[in-house]
Amino acid sequence: MLYKYRAPIDLSNPDDCYTFKIFKDSQLYFAKLSTFNDPFEGLIELEAHPLKAEAIDRHFRVLRFRERERKVTPKPFSETWYDAQSNINRIFDKVIA
């Protein structure tokens, strides 16, 4: 659940008000991190190791499922596991960078 205290809607100029856009357009405004006055606000710490192992396992199962659905000769388990691991490592490296 997210709470954000907003200024009341300026009825004389509602299109220029972020509060009005929440209700009218279902849009939320987020300021850029560079405009925050606290340099540590908005920093996110990720604990990637347990998540990565779970993601590799899940991706492995998806790859095996796709092979069965296509009715192709499945790759050896070790090769599919390597593919899953490579894909997830590449994605995690991009996210962390």
Side-chain angles (χ1 to χ4, degrees):
M1 186 170 288
L2 176 69
Y3 292 96
K4 173 67 176 154
Y5 295 98
R6 304 283 314 160
I9 297 172
D10 178 8
L11 293 177
S12 64
N13 192 7
D15 288 333
D16 191 36
C17 179
Y18 293 123
T19 305
F20 186 71
K21 289 181 181 185
I22 291 171
F23 299 105
K24 179 181 169 234
D25 303 323
S26 299
Q27 289 183 351
L28 292 178
Y29 169 77
F30 294 96
K32 293 180 181 177
L33 289 178
S34 60
T35 65
F36 290 4
N37 62 355
D38 181 351
F40 299 103
E41 193 172 9
L43 291 180
I44 299 171
E45 240 180 82
L46 293 175
E47 181 60 46
H49 300 293
L51 296 175
K52 187 184 280 190
E54 184 179 320
I56 291 169
D57 183 55
R58 188 175 300 139
H59 188 53
F60 171 78
R61 286 185 270 133
V62 167
L63 292 176
R64 296 302 285 189
F65 175 78
R66 288 178 183 167
E67 289 172 350
R68 285 192 304 274
E69 287 293 307
R70 291 185 199 136
K71 298 181 178 160
V72 298
T73 305
K75 294 179 182 179
F77 278 99
S78 60
E79 194 174 326
T80 305
W81 182 259
Y82 177 79
D83 290 346
Q85 204 171 23
S86 298
N87 292 341
I88 296 301
N89 283 334
R90 188 176 63 250
I91 291 166
F92 268 67
D93 290 345
K94 284 182 183 179
V95 169
I96 290 171

